Amino acid sequence: MMSRTHIVLAVAATSLILGTADPIVLSLGAVCSQLPDVDTTKSFSGRILFPLSSYLEKRFAHRSITHSFLALSFFAILIFPVTFFGYQYYLGMVSGYFWGFFGDVFTKSGVALFYPSKVRAICPANPRLRLSTGSSAEWFVLFILVIFAILSIQINSAGGIVRSFNQALGLPSGAIETVNSDASRYLLKAHIKGRNAITQEPIEKAYEIIQPLNQNDLLVKDELGTTYRVGNSQESQIIASQMKIDRVAPITTTVTNIFLDDEDLYEKIAALPQERTYLSGTLTIFDTDGLIIPTHIDRYDTITLQPASDIAYARLIAATPQEVLRLLGDYYASGNLVVRIVKGK
């Protein structure tokens, strides 16, 4: 096979098998796909690594020892330290080397896959269907591989085969799976078709996703910051019939904790970033005379209150600092809050 065919085959197969569009991983696979041909000085890698290729060429037949599982095992052990930089990089290099020699199985001379056995693996059985290096048949195969590589990279750039399938169908259950896998890395928007659970009016609108609530529902907000529960449960304010997820921008997510022991809530909460900061947890509120937190049926309440005698228990689910300050900022509280801060990269 031509070196370019080895490269495209390695890129396409590595992208598909590892489910990646990472250019570093694919580039490493492409480079390593050239290494099996170091057993001849006429190859691209042989010219670069001439002392090694000259040594191997004098002692071993072409497509023998370097085109075998023995060489692959040695190569995998040799480059194992690469795992310290990233396991995907290591797998990309191993995959590239493998496809760099396995593609030659479809050539007329085949390869000695099980070296030191001299038996050659050749496919297909009909010699007329085997590839000759540089032939029109190989150029046709290269063309197909290029298309396959582009499709694989495109699909993985969009989040993988499962995500693309879910996007195509627009099923809410598939959308929630996508959110679960992407929410920590991307700011997401949900394009929702459905109906208002109370008025039954049709809805077709985009909402920013805050977080999944369970396996069936998402917590979202509109452009005004009003929160809604979207899904198919009885608690949902928006019943979704179709939901598609878009990646808006890469993000970093920081999670910290706030511990309070009969402390002023305002002092603790006012120090937090105000944009895309969400607080969850349970607080015990003291001296609650006059404390009233309204409830709504047409939106999702991120703060709910359970009164007791002279105290109250406030439950927060993805509440914003502004909302906590508005409703609870005048009180002292005890408890633990998980703070999730989302920032763009």
Side-chain angles (χ1 to χ4, degrees), residues 160-333:
I161 294 175
V162 173
R163 188 180 192 279
S164 298
F165 182 75
N166 288 336
Q167 286 287 80
L169 294 180
L171 298 178
S173 58
I176 292 173
E177 288 181 14
T178 298
V179 172
N180 285 329
S181 64
D182 285 357
S184 63
R185 298 176 294 143
Y186 296 96
L187 183 65
L188 302 174
K189 274 196 173 181
H191 296 267
I192 296 168
K193 288 184 180 180
R195 58 185 171 85
N196 186 294
I198 300 172
T199 66
Q200 299 301 305
E201 293 180 352
I203 292 175
E204 186 172 348
K205 190 175 179 181
Y207 298 86
E208 183 177 318
I209 296 173
I210 298 175
Q211 67 180 52
L213 291 173
N214 55 32
Q215 293 181 344
N216 302 305
D217 299 334
L218 295 175
L219 180 60
V220 303
K221 65 179 180 181
D222 61 17
E223 64 277 3
L224 300 176
T226 306
T227 54
Y228 302 93
R229 184 174 187 145
V230 178
N232 293 297
S233 69
Q234 293 181 346
E235 295 83 10
S236 297
Q237 288 84 43
I238 299 174
I239 307 300
S241 58
Q242 189 178 71
M243 196 184 309
K244 294 186 177 181
I245 309 301
D246 282 346
R247 293 172 174 174
V248 178
I251 59 171
T252 56
T253 302
T254 304
V255 178
T256 59
N257 288 272
I258 293 178
F259 298 95
L260 299 106
D261 185 11
D262 196 9
E263 297 179 64
D264 184 0
L265 261 176
Y266 188 92
E267 182 181 342
K268 291 284 188 179
I269 304 303
L272 295 172
Q274 300 299 297
E275 186 177 0
R276 293 197 177 94
T277 297
Y278 305 102
L279 299 95
S280 301
T282 302
L283 296 175
T284 302
I285 310 297
F286 302 101
D287 300 324
T288 57
D289 290 341
L291 175 60
I292 298 175
I293 294 182
T295 58
H296 309 82
I297 61 172
D298 61 340
R299 71 184 77 168
Y300 184 84
D301 293 315
T302 58
I303 303 178
T304 55
L305 194 69
Q306 181 182 345
S309 53
D310 57 347
I311 61 173
Y313 301 101
R315 186 188 181 200
L316 286 67
I317 298 180
T320 63
Q322 299 94 321
E323 196 169 15
V324 176
L325 292 174
R326 180 172 61 86
L327 297 174
L328 302 173
D330 296 333
Y331 296 89
Y332 279 67

